[in-house]
Amino acid sequence: MHHFFSKPSKGNYRIYEMPKFLQDAKLDLEFLKDHQIPLYQWGKGTHKVLLVHGWNSNAARWQLLIQKLLGHNFEVYALEAPAHGMSSEKYFSVPKYEQFIHKVYEKVQPNYMVGHSIGATAVLYWCHLHPNHQLQKVGLLGAPSDMRVLLDNYYQILKASPKMRQAFDAYIEQRFQVMINEFTGARFAEKINIPIFQAHDTLDEVVFFAEAEKIAKQITQVQFYTTNGAGHSMHDLAMYEALVQFLKTNS
């Protein structure tokens, strides 16, 4: 079960298969112990933004947003998650992704972070673990909240028995040293005291709208943006423009 839960079915590639959009970026390879973290850079500017993609994806998913950011003179960075893109890590987990994010944060020192899907949850987790960070603003797109909900959906797909569910719950908690019912984006967001742009689609069938509402209720400074038909990908030009304006304001 761990293999299917932690191994994406798409999103990874080798350098000779690199998506065209990424070929124009500056590519650095950072290392966390023996694991390779691909880090892409576009543009030069006073304000730096780090983009954190989600499951079954890679840095190329940010093309539309990056083009808008470059039009407003941002310096843009995007990393690739464990088991995604050209990362050398074989398995994905939010705790491991958080370590990737922290390694890149220390190198880049971004002013802003924007995450999509489970990447947004990883950003929240990073903020929770590093409350003295120097970020000015954060963007969350299509963010899931509760690990319990993700696991239950996974169990439903696999038609897992109660015994199998209990055993895998225990395995997750022991392997990652987390309590499943406490591992929630809503909890991680509780003490974030910087402005947050949160966007979610009302028709998202991957991460239901209720998940976004759980997070938003815990954020003291939230600008909540709703789309209707963008789906879980959240590729919406008007939303991207609103996000860029949010990042620019008072910057």
Side-chain angles (χ1 to χ4, degrees):
M1 285 181 73
H2 174 252
H3 175 84
F4 292 106
F5 187 72
S6 303
K7 189 77 172 172
S9 60
K10 58 182 179 180
N12 58 336
Y13 58 86
R14 299 188 180 183
I15 193 163
Y16 57 82
E17 303 168 316
M18 182 184 288
K20 189 175 186 305
F21 176 68
L22 298 183
Q23 294 175 19
D24 297 328
K26 177 187 175 185
L27 171 63
D28 285 326
L29 298 176
E30 299 300 312
F31 289 88
L32 182 67
K33 296 182 180 178
D34 295 329
H35 299 305
Q36 173 180 295
I37 308 171
L39 176 64
Y40 302 89
Q41 178 190 348
W42 295 263
K44 282 286 185 181
T46 308
H47 296 283
K48 302 175 182 179
V49 56
L50 174 62
L51 306 178
V52 182
H53 71 77
W55 179 255
N56 274 345
S57 188
N58 55 57
R61 70 94 53 209
W62 294 113
Q63 181 173 355
L64 291 176
L65 177 57
I66 289 170
Q67 289 168 341
K68 283 195 171 288
L69 287 166
L70 293 177
H72 291 275
N73 299 313
F74 282 87
E75 186 169 315
V76 185
Y77 294 83
L79 80 162
E80 288 178 322
H84 292 74
M86 289 195 297
S87 166
S88 61
E89 170 63 80
K90 292 182 179 180
Y91 294 105
F92 176 89
S93 72
V94 171
K96 177 62 72 174
Y97 204 1
E98 182 279 324
Q99 292 175 21
F100 275 33
I101 292 168
H102 190 61
K103 178 70 176 180
V104 171
Y105 171 84
E106 289 184 318
K107 175 184 174 65
V108 172
Q109 295 293 304
N111 307 97
Y112 319 107
M113 276 192 206
V114 178
H116 172 247
S117 190
I118 200 68
T121 306
V123 169
L124 286 172
Y125 186 49
W126 179 86
C127 290
H128 171 72
L129 293 180
H130 305 279
N132 296 321
H133 65 76
Q134 298 301 306
L135 291 180
Q136 297 172 22
K137 296 178 181 178
V138 164
L140 307 172
L141 314 180
S145 176
D146 297 2
M147 188 177 185
R148 174 81 277 153
V149 172
L150 291 176
L151 277 173
D152 286 348
N153 289 343
Y154 174 62
Y155 293 152
Q156 219 170 7
I157 292 169
L158 293 183
K159 296 182 171 57
S161 68
K163 186 176 181 180
M164 186 180 291
R165 295 180 183 214
Q166 186 177 19
F168 193 61
D169 275 6
Y171 171 80
I172 290 291
E173 293 187 344
Q174 189 277 328
R175 179 181 174 90
F176 299 111
Q177 296 298 298
V178 299
M179 298 301 295
I180 290 170
N181 291 337
E182 295 178 5
F183 201 89
T184 74
R187 175 172 170 262
F188 303 149
E190 285 178 355
K191 295 182 180 179
I192 296 179
N193 56 9
I194 59 173
I196 306 290
F197 179 95
Q198 186 181 1
H200 212 95
D201 193 79
T202 57
L203 304 178
D204 190 334
E205 295 182 348
V206 177
V207 177
F208 295 141
F209 195 76
E211 288 289 283
E213 293 177 311
K214 292 176 187 176
I215 296 171
K217 287 177 182 177
Q218 303 302 323
I219 302 173
T220 55
Q221 302 179 66
V222 62
Q223 178 176 324
F224 197 91
Y225 190 102
T226 303
T227 59
N228 186 22
H232 186 59
S233 73
M234 296 300 295
H235 289 313
D236 183 272
L237 292 177
M239 184 274 292
Y240 283 150
E241 183 63 33
L243 170 58
V244 171
Q245 292 303 322
F246 168 84
L247 297 178
K248 280 182 57 180
T249 304
N250 298 323
S251 294

